Each structure stands twice: as C-alpha cells, then as structure tokens.
Amino acid sequence: MRSKIVLLSALLVSTLCCFSQRSKESINESWRFIREDVSGAEQSIFNDSSWTKVNIPHTWNATDAYTLKQYYRGVGWYRKDVYLTNKYATKQLFLNFEGAFVKAAIYVNGKLAGEHKGGFTAFTCDISTMVTIPGKNVIAVKVDNSGHLQLPPISGDYTMFGGLYRDAYLVSTERLHFDQMNYGSNGIFIETPQVNEKSATVKIKGTIRNESAENKNVCVLSKIIDESGKTIAAVTTTLHVRAGANGNFQQVSGTIASPRLWSPESPYLYTVTTTLLSDDKKPVEYDEINNSLGFRWCSFHPDSGFRLNGKSLKLIGASRHQDYMGLGNALDNDLHRHDMEMLKKMGGNFVRISHYPQDPTIVEMCDKLGILVWEETPLGNTFYENAELKATCVSSLKEMIRQNFNHPSIIIWGYMNEIALGTVKMADKINQQEVIESTAQFARELDSIVHSEDHNRVSTMALNSGGRDLYQKSGISAIPNVIGWNNYAGWYTGSFDKFGSFMDKEHAEYPKIISLISEFGAGGDGRLHSLKPEQFDFSIEWQQLYHESYVDQIFSRPYIAGAAVWNLIDFGSGGRQESMPRINNKGLLYNNRIPKDVYSLYQAWLLKTPVIHIASRDWTIRTGIQASAGDTTVTQPIKIYSNLDNVELFANGTSLGTQKIVKGVSVWNAPFVDGKNLFIAKGLRDGAVYEDALRIDFEILPALLNRAKGKSFTLGVNVGSNCFFIDPINSTTWLPDQAYTRGSFGYVGGEVFRSTEKRIGHQSEVAQTRNVPLYQTFRYGLTDYKFDVADGEYEVELHFSDPGTTATKTIYDVSTSEEKGQEASEFNVSINGVPCLENFCPAAQYGVLSAIPKTFVVQSKDLRGITVSFEREAGYTFLNAIKIRRLN
C-alpha cells in the first residue's frame, strides 16, 4: 500500500467529473403489517392482503403505550415488494435499517438475509445473492419487542415501543466498494491526530471489499473540503485487493494551516470525501463516501471541569427521549431535527442521548448546531451474568461507536445507566455481592472496548446518587473516565440544597473523580398550580423552584463539568402512573414540544441575546378568592425570567415597579381584576427596549359566598391538595383545599393524606377519569365540607376514589375493619341533613383506584348554605374533590 499527499494533482482534477456509483434509496413506503406472529410470513408466496398498509417509520405501540400499562409486547411482521430493474444486475445490494426494536429477522424471497439483536442501532444485510433481477422481490421482517432477559434493556423507565420505527434503505454499490458490513457503519473512520489553533492533520482509515472475480489495483483519494467548496488538502493511497477479499487502508493528511475550529458558538464543518478509483491513467470511480469533519479538542479536569479548544466551557443542556404522543418512537426526521433546534434555542450546548443511541439525524444536527454529545448504550438498571446479554451489550457498544465515530459533536461514550438499581433488586441476598462483582467486571470489559475502539474520547456511566456507597465499595465508580450523577434531591428525597452538599462531599472525598450531572429534574403537570408548592406535588411552580435552585448550584461549582436536565421533553414511560399515567413529565417541553415556562429560565441563564419572559404561559386561566368582601382585585405572584439587569412590569396599563433580575428571576405580587388581565414586562439593554406581553383570564370568587351574584356560580375544590387543578378540556378550575371559615367554604376535621412524609397524595393511576390528579389527593377523617352560599338550588358533585390497602394501610382502623369483615372504608354521607349515600363503601362497590363521581341536586334555604356531612362506619371517611354549581 502506498500513500502520498496530493494538493491539486492531475488525478484530483480528473476525478472532479466522475459521478458516484453508489445509490441509496429509502424503502419506507407501502409496507404491509400485522401485529402478531404468523406462520409462513417469511415466504415469498404468502397471502398478506388483509394486513394493514403502513409507511415506516412505524410502531405498533403508538396508541396503546399511552393508554395501557400492559401495552403490546410481542411479535409484528412487515412485508414489502421491491422491484429491481437491470440497472442493479452488476451491483452489490444491501438493506440498511436504522432501527428495529428490539430484535429483527430479515428475509428476502423467503431466505434469511440477517438477524439483529438490539433495538437502537442500525444494521445492514447483504442481499446480493438473494434477489431476482429483473423482477419482484419480497422483503419480510419479523420484529419482536417482547421483554427479553437476554437483550438490553432488561428494564428501563421508558416505553419499549416495537416496530420498524426508523428509516430503511436499499443501498447499491459496485462489486468493489467500501466495506458496508462493519457494525452498520459506512466503513470510513476519521480522526484528527493533531489539532490546535495553528494547524491540524487528518487521519482516514477504512476497508475495501472486492466482491468481483478479479484482483484489483485501486486508488483511494480523500479530499478535505471547506464550507465554500474549496479543497484544502488531499491524500491518495494505492493498494492491491484480491478477488473475494478485503483491503485495509490508512491515510494521514499533510499539515492544514489555521483550521477553522468547531465549537458551540461556531460549529464549522469540513467535508471529507473518500473516493475509490481504479489505479490507471483513466480512473473509474467505484465508490464514494462523504463524512463531516470538525476540528476541535477537549479535556476534562476534576477541579476545573470541561475545556473545549483550550477554553473553559460549562456543559449545560438536557437528556432526550425519542417519542411523541400519537406517533410513539416512529418520528420523522423533521421532528428529530426540531428537538435539537429547541435545545439550541434554549441555549443548550450539551445533550445526553439517553438511554440509547437515537436516530442518525440527532447527531447530524448536533454537528451542525454545535451541541456536544454524550451517547450511550441501552444497558441500564439491570445486569446479570448471561452470555447472550453480554454479547449483545458488546455488539451494541461497537455499533454505536462505529456508526457515530466521525461526528465531532460526540465527546463521551456511555455504556451503563444506574446499573445497580435493578441489579440489586434482581439478585437475592445470598448472591448479591457476587452479582455486584460480576457487574463491575463487565463494566471494566465495556470500558476497555470503548478505549480500544476510540482512543480520543472518554468513557462514562450514569450512577444514581442513592447508590453512591455501593458504587464506591464495588469499584464501579472508579472504572470510567467521567462519572455522571443522577441526583433528584428536592424531588424524590431531601431538599434542594442536598444536591450541592452531596456533590461537595463527593468531590472532597474523591478529588480525582471527574463529575457530570447526568440527570436532575422534577415533574411538572401543566394542569397543576400552587401558591404554596410542595415537593412531589407535580405543580409547575415546584418544578420552577427546583430548577431555579439547581442551575444556580451547578454554575457555582467549577468542578461540575456540566449537567443534563432530565428531560428535554415529557416522554412515554409505560410503567409510570403519577399525575400523568404513562408519561414522565419532568420535561422542559411538553410531549407536543410546547415549552414549559421553566424552559425560559435556561434561556435567561444560557443565552447572550436578550431574554424576557412572563413565566405564566402554563397558567393563563387563574382563579382567586377576595381577601376581603368588596375587593376588586386579588393578588397573586407573577414571575419573570430574564437576563436583563432590570425589568418593569405593567398590569393593565399600570406600572407595578421595576425590579432587579437576580439569577434570572424576579417575582411581583400582582393585582388581578376579574376577567382579562394584560401584563407587559419591559427591560433595557444598550438603549434598546425588550418586552414580553401575556393575557391572563382571572375569575375572582367572593370572600363571602352568599354575595356571589348570578346563577352561573360554580366552585370546585381539589380536596386534600395544595394545588389548583385546571381541566384543559373545559377550563374548569378546582381550587386548593382550605379549612372552613364562616362565610366561605372548606373542610371540617380530617387530615391530608400523604403516602410518605413529604409526598402529598398517592401516585397510583385512577381509572375512569381523564383528571387523574383530582383523585390522587384526598382528605380523610373529615366530618363536614361546608359552603356558605346564598339560597337557591345547587348541583353538588362529590368525587371519591379508594386508593386501596397499599396506599392507605396507615390510615385504616384495623380493629374496626376486622369487626366489619372488610378492610376498606365505609361511611354515610348526607347533605344538609338529608342522607344521600348510606353504607357507602367505594372499594367494595366500585373497586379500588376507580373514579366515582356522584351528583346530587339540593336546596340551600334560610341562609344555611350547603353542608356535606360524613359519618364513619369502618375505616375512615374521605373525599377527593367537591364542586357546587348554582342552578336556580
């Protein structure tokens, strides 16, 4: 093999007129699909006329995964006819699938063309000897998303959507071509052995495959081309490739002076065009592949964090899952691109592609937008000693690295996530230590593979902070170059400041460990709002407080190299219940990609361009009670996120004053009038005025209910909750619970149910309702609920849901339950002294975790208002929600 550097040789000039002999065509259209295992479906002659016609990307869980905890996990079949003309007669043909979850078998004309295990990486099948040319060819693909203990992920807090959910292609090449069977990669691998501000060199290596019947002398020409189209360097290599064999090549360019460096501020990309030519005076082009190239260098330090191109840079961004409600994980490329654009618009310079490699479009966009990438394999939560599992983890790791090797945006390879959580649970106490040691040993194997595959990037794994001692004692935390900590202090446990104290302790005790924050976040349900937010209440306001604290703590610690919010979007998690069953709602964007207000907090911290945002888009329908009878306004907070020095807020044309923005935030106590309220925020920078405007609808409820005017009076209460709940379909607002005071409304007696000391309500799904949060909180042991309303006829809605013994075992009177021969609560309900529910036992009569709305029409007379009374028979009285509406 001979290599030489070429600038603008005759050979280079002559190849400019050549056209590529490679073609790549999508085959996404007109597949036939059935969601079951069908005998004989792989055969070319098979009646599939009754199957559903679909285009891919496609998943069979686009609907059920968002509605059922036990969504379909099993086999699905896809079939398609592909017609090949004589132009393919002398070609090498491949099928390339960008993803099939979680394992697939591909048949062409009834013959097995290949199998693939692992749901998140691409794979290629050589079908050259199986096709009919010219003629029809039948492709059949069996996909299986069953839970497999031999395939990662064994478990995970995200939905395992099944199907051919990414693009598929027919690729044709000459018989002499760059190797297409190298772990799904394009066969070319590019490095920058030397790079700095003054100079750089480029190393290109790959393999040529000769499927022809003749030995070949070939030339490999690689050109480095800038964004203007100018070739700035070129290198050629000649070699001899025997028939039916491979030939390897490696090239190193000459020195490139003053390279344009790639960075988040200036993501400059060169193109490396690698062309395979015949080695004679009239070169014929056999194959050509283009790859992006970015000149950059980076490093991590345990004290000073991350440096890019010699300059300190705090990595700040988010993790990203890949689904969209109604589509599942079968997103088109525009949606993938949009997600990365939203991350960039937020000011993010970092993404953790979690918990698995994602569509190639994601990393392509990161290259173009200047977003640095942590990419990881799907080995998470659980590992055990199994040969097939280990082999698939190894192949998935190699596929991930080789398929994405050439992307300058990627700086970290990850291979495990919170691996001890499920592993410890899976192992019995007798062999637990053995399983942990086995996990640590396999982590060392994977780490070694990372560094043998890629000498230039670092390795990582994400560890949950609660398992710190286990990771340290087992040696797991000492294996990768960088540790990612998943820390949720202030959400699942502890208070916000426990995050900083944990990190400070970790850094003090293990000063040589390089730390990233791989996950931090809090749930935010746009239907829940609170003037007194609490930990784990899923209110938008608690989510805001959480991030306001964390972003400050992260930036104040130079040794934290960076952080990724969990998560960029609300994403599908089939096993979750909480306030939005089947959805993890910790996203900065809703699943439909509309930003939550907290998204703008990060803009205020991260963007250099002016940001001013009235942080109430999530709460534009508000309700409040007069502080005193006759008040014409109700005061509630209005928050501004901004990176300006000072902001002035106007309410309905009146200035509420100017405030200094502190750490991106300022809060006004604003007066709301009944009806439409227009808020305008204004600030200055360099003499220019920047502003934001927002209209909020507000309903003022009277301090004395009997002064409510008109017959449209409605008042709903989210009993046992600190949150307003807004039904997004009909805009009905349910107020937070409160104690009864004369003239108003509220409970008499009882306690708010808490599943733990710091968790209000429970997190189990409640059936037969779209308004699950209303039924997850309740007051138990109450004697009355009172409304001092004016005389008239009223509709009274009572809402109940027995959470079952698991959630309420601490509140039931066991002795009474045993006397009654039952465990559930039983009680009587009367309204204004008239019995309406006798021996009412929600669990026995309707089942646990079922929504039970009961409506009664009653009269309020002689200024007595409405009193709903509860009399205990067994267990405890309880109430989840109540609403009154005046009829006449």
Side-chain angles (χ1 to χ4, degrees):
M1 182 178 70
R2 308 190 310 275
S3 296
K4 62 179 179 178
I5 299 168
V6 179
L7 294 180
L8 285 174
S9 67
L11 176 62
L12 174 58
V13 174
S14 67
T15 59
L16 294 178
C17 298
C18 294
F19 59 90
S20 175
Q21 301 301 309
R22 169 186 292 263
S23 69
K24 183 177 181 180
E25 175 188 352
S26 68
I27 52 170
N28 292 343
E29 74 290 345
S30 296
W31 289 77
R32 297 174 297 281
F33 165 74
I34 191 168
R35 197 180 75 170
E36 60 183 79
D37 197 359
V38 179
S39 177
E42 74 278 9
Q43 299 300 320
S44 56
I45 300 176
F46 179 84
N47 185 4
D48 56 16
S49 59
S50 64
W51 291 17
T52 303
K53 184 176 281 190
V54 300
N55 288 348
I56 61 173
H58 173 265
T59 176
W60 56 69
N61 298 121
T63 300
D64 66 343
Y66 296 99
T67 56
L68 301 174
K69 185 175 182 179
Q70 301 299 326
Y71 57 93
Y72 180 77
R73 297 194 66 178
V75 172
W77 277 93
Y78 296 83
R79 287 171 55 88
K80 176 181 175 60
D81 298 334
V82 175
Y83 293 85
L84 299 176
T85 63
N86 282 324
K87 74 175 184 178
Y88 295 105
T90 61
K91 302 292 187 179
Q92 203 75 12
L93 295 176
F94 305 89
L95 291 178
N96 176 259
F97 294 89
E98 291 183 342
F101 192 85
V102 62
K103 67 176 182 177
I106 294 83
Y107 299 87
V108 176
N109 296 329
K111 300 175 183 178
L112 181 64
E115 296 180 290
H116 187 257
K117 296 176 181 178
F120 302 107
T121 43
F123 57 96
T124 302
C125 304
D126 188 335
I127 62 170
S128 305
T129 62
M130 301 176 182
V131 295
T132 299
I133 300 175
K136 182 180 80 170
N137 295 269
V138 179
I139 302 171
V141 184
K142 178 182 180 181
V143 186
D144 186 353
N145 76 327
S146 302
H148 295 277
L149 290 178
Q150 294 78 32
L151 299 179
I154 294 174
S155 63
D157 186 15
Y158 52 95
T159 302
M160 309 296 176
F161 297 94
L164 288 178
Y165 70 99
R166 293 183 188 161
D167 296 326
Y169 294 94
L170 174 68
V171 179
S172 71
T173 69
E174 295 297 310
R175 299 297 190 195
L176 190 68
H177 57 271
F178 294 115
D179 184 19
Q180 297 301 290
M181 301 301 293
N182 190 334
Y183 287 90
S185 72
N186 67 16
I188 305 294
F189 304 96
I190 300 169
E191 300 176 67
T192 53
Q194 173 196 336
V195 58
N196 55 53
E197 292 178 343
K198 295 182 179 180
S199 64
T201 58
V202 179
K203 178 180 175 182
I204 305 117
K205 60 181 180 179
T207 300
I208 298 164
R209 178 67 183 166
N210 185 3
E211 295 286 356
S212 72
E214 301 176 359
N215 298 339
K216 297 286 186 179
N217 292 319
V218 298
C219 171
V220 179
L221 167 65
S222 292
K223 298 181 289 183
I224 302 165
I225 304 168
D226 67 16
E227 289 189 353
S228 72
K230 178 183 177 182
T231 298
I232 62 169
V235 58
T236 62
T237 301
T238 58
L239 66 159
H240 181 75
V241 186
R242 297 173 58 187
N246 292 342
N248 298 321
F249 67 92
Q250 180 171 298
Q251 304 169 314
V252 178
S253 74
T255 299
I256 298 169
S258 302
R260 291 281 300 273
L261 298 182
W262 184 97
S263 70
E265 295 77 22
S266 179
Y268 191 92
L269 292 173
Y270 294 83
T271 299
V272 177
T273 299
T274 306
T275 308
L276 179 60
L277 303 160
S278 60
D279 187 21
D280 55 35
K281 294 181 179 180
K282 293 183 179 180
V284 175
E285 180 180 315
Y286 293 114
D287 202 0
E288 183 173 281
I289 290 178
N290 293 312
N291 284 287
S292 292
L293 167 68
F295 289 111
R296 57 104 182 116
W297 74 97
C298 59
S299 62
F300 288 88
H301 190 276
D303 292 323
S304 57
F306 179 73
R307 296 179 73 84
L308 178 68
N309 301 331
K311 300 177 182 178
S312 294
L313 178 67
K314 184 77 81 171
L315 298 169
I316 296 290
S319 299
R320 189 256 186 182
H321 271 292
Q322 63 180 11
D323 71 289
Y324 194 109
M325 192 175 292
L327 300 175
N329 61 349
L331 276 63
D332 60 43
N333 291 332
D334 285 338
L335 279 171
H336 289 300
R337 282 187 278 267
H338 177 262
D339 282 358
M340 292 303 96
E341 289 168 347
M342 289 300 293
L343 180 60
K344 187 70 175 181
K345 288 177 182 178
M346 186 186 83
N349 60 20
F350 179 54
V351 63
R352 179 185 177 206
I353 300 178
S354 52
H355 289 303
Y356 40 80
Q358 296 180 17
D359 193 276
T361 306
I362 293 293
V363 185
E364 173 198 329
M365 287 300 292
C366 290
D367 289 345
K368 293 177 178 179
L369 294 172
I371 299 173
L372 293 149
V373 175
W374 160 342
E375 188 169 39
E376 65 190 23
T377 66
L379 179 54
N381 289 26
T382 307
F383 170 78
Y384 72 108
E385 193 69 30
N386 176 273
E388 184 178 0
L389 173 63
K390 292 171 72 173
T392 306
C393 289
V394 168
S395 64
S396 294
L397 179 58
K398 290 183 177 180
E399 286 172 338
M400 176 183 75
I401 294 174
R402 296 192 190 186
Q403 290 172 23
N404 297 288
F405 190 90
N406 298 331
H407 291 284
S409 57
I410 296 179
I411 56 172
I412 308 172
W413 300 119
Y415 50 81
M416 285 182 175
N417 174 67
E418 293 189 343
I419 196 62
L421 282 180
T423 298
V424 171
K425 292 178 182 178
M426 187 175 183
D428 58 53
K429 293 183 179 180
I430 297 175
N431 71 346
Q432 195 171 96
Q433 185 59 36
E434 179 183 337
V435 170
I436 291 171
E437 291 175 358
S438 174
T439 302
Q441 178 55 38
F442 189 53
R444 293 186 188 95
E445 293 178 28
L446 295 178
D447 195 78
S448 177
I449 290 171
V450 168
H451 293 295
S452 65
E453 289 284 324
D454 189 344
H455 304 290
N456 302 305
R457 294 181 174 98
V458 298
S459 62
T460 190
M461 63 170 72
L463 309 179
N464 55 300
S465 57
R468 173 184 180 272
D469 292 342
L470 183 152
Y471 292 123
Q472 299 290 4
K473 290 177 181 178
S474 66
I476 287 177
S477 59
I479 296 170
N481 303 122
V482 175
I483 287 295
W485 287 109
N486 298 347
N487 195 314
Y488 291 92
W491 180 244
Y492 292 118
T493 59
S495 55
F496 299 150
D497 61 347
K498 297 297 183 184
F499 164 75
S501 60
F502 171 88
M503 293 305 301
D504 291 342
K505 180 180 178 182
E506 180 68 18
H507 184 58
E509 294 184 5
Y510 301 93
K512 294 184 178 180
I513 287 183
I514 298 167
S515 293
L516 275 168
I517 310 305
S518 41
E519 292 183 24
F520 67 100
D525 186 331
R527 301 170 297 176
L528 291 168
H529 296 277
S530 182
L531 302 177
K532 298 178 181 179
E534 292 187 19
Q535 179 178 336
F536 217 76
D537 65 4
F538 291 91
S539 71
I540 288 295
E541 288 65 40
W542 187 261
Q543 184 186 47
Q544 291 176 357
L545 293 175
Y546 178 100
H547 284 284
E548 288 163 19
S549 175
Y550 266 68
V551 71
D552 181 36
Q553 293 184 75
I554 289 165
F555 269 97
S556 67
R557 289 167 170 81
Y559 66 83
I560 296 179
V565 175
W566 191 260
N567 197 273
L568 179 63
I569 61 167
D570 290 351
F571 63 91
S573 180
R576 281 205 173 231
Q577 300 183 63
E578 300 176 336
S579 75
M580 298 168 65
R582 252 76 58 206
I583 294 291
N584 186 321
N585 57 18
K586 296 185 183 70
L588 302 178
L589 311 173
Y590 294 104
N591 191 261
N592 63 5
R593 277 49 176 182
I594 293 175
K596 300 179 184 180
D597 283 314
V598 74
Y599 174 90
S600 292
L601 168 69
Y602 285 89
Q603 290 183 312
W605 273 82
L606 302 177
L607 292 177
K608 296 179 181 179
T609 54
V611 173
I612 183 167
H613 176 86
I614 301 173
S616 194
R617 266 71 173 179
D618 291 322
W619 196 8
T620 57
I621 300 173
R622 293 198 186 195
T623 302
I625 304 170
Q626 292 172 322
S628 302
D631 286 352
T632 58
T633 62
V634 170
T635 299
Q636 287 188 4
I638 283 287
K639 181 178 291 184
I640 305 293
Y641 288 139
S642 181
N643 59 6
L644 303 177
D645 293 333
N646 302 283
V647 169
E648 185 176 11
L649 183 64
F650 296 83
N652 299 315
T654 300
S655 175
L656 303 183
T658 299
Q659 292 191 17
K660 182 178 179 60
I661 298 295
V662 180
K663 298 177 180 179
V665 185
S666 192
V667 180
W668 281 257
N669 288 318
F672 287 81
V673 299
D674 195 55
K676 304 288 185 182
N677 291 262
L678 177 63
F679 290 91
I680 299 175
K682 294 183 179 183
L684 290 172
R685 179 181 289 181
D686 299 328
V689 177
Y690 298 92
E691 65 179 54
D692 186 34
L694 181 65
R695 192 177 300 277
I696 297 175
D697 292 330
F698 200 95
E699 180 185 11
I700 294 180
L701 295 175
L704 300 176
L705 295 187
N706 61 15
R707 295 189 181 180
K709 297 179 180 179
K711 297 180 181 179
S712 62
F713 177 75
T714 300
L715 196 159
V717 185
N718 190 5
V719 179
S721 175
N722 63 313
C723 289
F724 295 86
F725 176 82
I726 297 98
D727 186 332
I729 292 179
N730 57 28
S731 299
T732 298
T733 296
W734 302 74
L735 275 63
D737 205 4
Q738 66 176 39
Y740 170 74
T741 57
R742 183 177 295 276
S744 186
F745 71 92
Y747 60 82
V748 177
E751 298 179 44
V752 170
F753 173 72
R754 295 180 180 274
S755 54
T756 66
E757 181 182 354
K758 290 190 175 182
R759 293 192 184 185
I760 193 167
H762 64 83
Q763 287 75 55
S764 297
E765 181 182 3
V766 178
Q768 288 87 52
T769 181
R770 67 175 184 271
N771 294 329
V772 171
L774 273 183
Y775 294 92
Q776 291 179 322
T777 53
F778 59 94
R779 176 167 290 275
Y780 68 95
L782 75 170
T783 58
D784 299 287
Y785 215 98
K786 297 173 69 68
F787 298 85
D788 288 350
V789 293
D791 291 351
E793 186 178 47
Y794 289 84
E795 187 179 75
V796 179
E797 289 182 20
L798 304 178
H799 296 262
F800 306 93
S801 176
D802 193 313
T805 56
T806 300
T808 58
K809 61 183 178 182
T810 58
I811 69 169
Y812 285 131
D813 185 326
V814 176
S815 61
T816 303
S817 297
E818 288 176 349
E819 291 173 9
K820 288 286 184 180
Q822 63 186 31
E823 201 170 14
S825 289
E826 181 180 329
F827 49 92
N828 303 312
V829 181
S830 61
I831 303 178
N832 288 347
V834 178
C836 56
L837 292 172
E838 296 184 287
N839 300 116
F840 181 55
C841 184
Q845 296 169 8
Y846 299 94
V848 299
L849 297 173
S850 294
I852 308 165
K854 301 291 292 185
T855 302
F856 304 91
V857 176
V858 300
Q859 296 288 333
S860 172
K861 296 181 179 180
D862 304 323
L863 298 180
R864 290 185 305 167
I866 295 174
T867 298
V868 182
S869 299
F870 302 82
E871 180 185 26
R872 169 181 172 273
E873 293 288 341
Y876 277 81
T877 63
F878 69 86
L879 180 66
N880 296 78
I882 186 170
K883 185 171 74 173
I884 63 169
R885 185 172 69 91
R886 186 169 180 177
L887 300 177
N888 290 295

